[in-house]
Amino acid sequence: MKDNLALIEAGGTKFVVGIGGFDRQIRFRTRIETTFPEETISRVTDWLLGHGPIAATGIACFGPLDLDPDSPTWGYITRTTKQHWSMTDVAGAFGKALGCPVALDTDVNGAALAEWRWGAGQGAQSSLYLTVGTGIGGGAVVGGRLLGGLSHPEMGHLRLPRHPADHDFGGICPFHGDCLEGLASGPAITARWGASLSELAPDHEGHEIIAWYLARAISTFQAVLEPSRIILGGGVLETPGLLDRVRREAIAASGGYFVGDPGEIVVSPKLQNDAGLLGALALIEQNLPGVRGDHGTSGG
Ligand code: ZN
């Protein structure tokens, strides 16, 4: 039997779904619109089952999620702002429909793990991944394991000092107003200046302000973890020149104190189109090691 793995990147607007194996080849893939939970999940499972029995499922899912193995609601999407999806038993629904074990974590943690395993974090003892797009999220891998506590990290909700020229904007986070996500995510940029960062003139103050916040986030990550790699991804980081600006600001913000030099440790992600599905694969590898072992002894 081939190692038929179901790989799912569950997003708020679409599910990217693939059939792949431990060789990292994605053999089939599709996209399914995110509507109501039951409808979306049954469309995804129908498509997957059309490719034969599934050995294991990896889901890199939008959050927040309940990831406490002792919780009766492990594997649920919890208090999401995505309509209809709060308290959806994602892991349970897929496990039941597909008849296989399920590895679930956030999309951000999946990407953090995949970047460490195969991408820009390869070989790093500690690797932190931050995505800056419609939201801001981060995950960290230390000694080969994803960091977590009561739940997955919520690095996008750091509280930072305000840039001296940015005191009039209240921020857009519905929970905190001016947390990192409330100040530096794509929608926060648009709310402030009416355009994305790459649409603003290169000498617009927005570039400096956003780099300043991201640099302070980096200093905070360094203070907590001293990661040997910090991977900055997401749509906002596609702004020309922003990564270099963040590096320069982070060097200034660190005061030369930390061991890691932001000029060297702050890098771009390496996994491009398949990052989400590879995240789901990395979650299977990490959380369901027996699947690979079972496969090896099942005769191939
Ligand atoms: Zn917040």
Side-chain angles (χ1 to χ4, degrees):
M1 181 180 137
K2 292 178 94 170
D3 53 347
N4 243 17
L5 305 175
L7 308 175
I8 301 171
E9 181 189 10
T13 56
K14 64 180 187 297
F15 277 46
V16 180
V17 190
I19 296 275
F22 288 113
D23 59 1
R24 276 190 284 152
Q25 300 303 311
I26 314 288
R27 295 192 293 275
F28 305 98
R29 74 185 71 213
T30 191
R31 286 166 179 236
I32 288 163
E33 190 195 349
T34 307
T35 56
F36 298 94
E38 270 185 38
E39 181 180 53
T40 308
I41 291 169
S42 80
R43 277 185 196 161
V44 171
T45 53
D46 285 352
W47 183 87
L48 286 166
L49 288 170
H51 295 90
I54 305 291
T57 299
I59 309 174
C61 188
F62 69 93
L65 306 173
D66 184 344
L67 298 176
D68 175 1
D70 296 326
S71 163
T73 52
W74 175 87
Y76 281 54
I77 293 173
T78 57
R79 48 180 171 78
T80 179
T81 49
K82 172 78 186 163
Q83 232 188 339
H84 312 299
W85 285 79
S86 280
M87 297 317 288
T88 296
D89 180 10
V90 181
F94 279 104
K96 196 173 161 196
L98 300 172
C100 70
V102 173
L104 172 85
D105 211 314
T106 61
D107 43 6
V108 178
N109 265 349
L113 193 59
E115 283 290 342
W116 170 76
R117 186 81 176 73
W118 302 300
Q122 228 177 337
Q125 187 276 337
S126 54
S127 173
L128 188 145
Y129 169 83
L130 190 78
T131 176
V132 186
T134 49
I136 298 183
V141 179
V142 178
R145 305 292 306 179
L146 282 165
L147 281 191
L150 291 172
S151 182
H152 46 83
E154 291 284 5
M155 299 184 194
H157 297 274
L158 285 178
R159 313 307 298 269
L160 298 167
R162 296 297 298 265
H163 187 282
D166 190 42
H167 279 291
D168 294 338
F169 179 63
I172 59 150
C173 175
F175 301 97
H176 315 114
D178 63 350
C179 64
L180 177 61
E181 179 172 295
L183 290 171
S185 61
I189 292 165
T190 311
R192 224 187 284 50
W193 297 301
S196 73
L197 213 49
S198 44
E199 289 164 347
L200 296 174
D203 59 349
H204 189 281
E205 63 169 4
H207 295 277
E208 200 249 313
I209 289 173
I210 297 305
W212 192 93
Y213 285 125
L214 293 175
R216 266 139 199 87
I218 285 168
S219 280
T220 304
F221 299 143
Q222 289 193 282
V224 173
L225 195 62
E226 279 275 17
S228 44
R229 209 75 48 83
I230 296 178
I231 305 163
L232 286 190
V236 172
L237 264 299
E238 286 166 20
T239 309
L242 182 61
L243 184 70
D244 279 333
R245 210 185 263 267
V246 172
R247 286 183 179 128
R248 287 197 299 274
E249 287 283 350
I251 290 168
S254 76
Y257 183 74
F258 303 118
V259 175
D261 173 0
E264 292 172 9
I265 66 168
V266 177
V267 297
S268 293
K270 275 195 183 153
L271 305 177
Q272 300 296 331
N273 299 332
D274 287 334
L277 296 183
L278 290 178
L281 176 63
L283 294 174
I284 294 177
E285 266 200 3
Q286 174 131 109
N287 296 303
L288 303 170
V291 174
R292 190 168 201 168
D294 292 345
H295 167 68
T297 55
S298 69

